[in-house]
Amino acid sequence: MSIRPKMSFKQGSKVWVWDSMWLPAVVVHRAPMGRILVRAEHGLTFSSTMANLLPRDPACQPARPPSFPQGANSNGAIALRR
């Protein structure tokens, strides 16, 4: 059971995506099996789960990744710790 509220992202939403580190990305579109296709700012496009995305506020200058510690579970899901 997740304590995190369910989120949904529209195409073009700016997000942070977890892939061994927080990367700034943009949502391209929904992919099969509950995944989302995202394009990282460095140009790579890949699918991710909703659990690995956080909204990004483009008004924050400079853009900073989320500051809380991150841990990955053996099933690939991430666990947020405060």
Side-chain angles (χ1 to χ4, degrees):
M1 181 174 182
S2 174
I3 60 171
R4 215 168 131 189
K6 285 193 171 189
M7 287 189 255
S8 63
F9 297 97
K10 294 180 180 178
Q11 185 174 344
S13 296
K14 294 185 181 245
V15 295
W16 290 105
V17 62
W18 179 257
D19 186 41
S20 300
M21 62 188 286
W22 287 110
L23 299 170
V26 175
V27 173
V28 177
H29 63 79
R30 294 188 89 54
M33 299 190 321
R35 299 183 71 85
I36 288 188
L37 200 61
V38 295
R39 179 173 293 120
E41 283 191 350
H42 57 63
L44 181 65
T45 301
F46 57 96
S47 67
S48 179
T49 63
M50 289 294 288
N52 290 341
L53 297 178
L54 288 176
R56 180 165 53 116
D57 183 0
C60 293
Q61 296 297 329
R64 295 182 186 196
S67 61
F68 42 81
Q70 191 69 34
N73 294 333
S74 60
N75 64 358
I78 60 170
L80 302 175
R81 290 184 231 135
R82 292 183 184 220

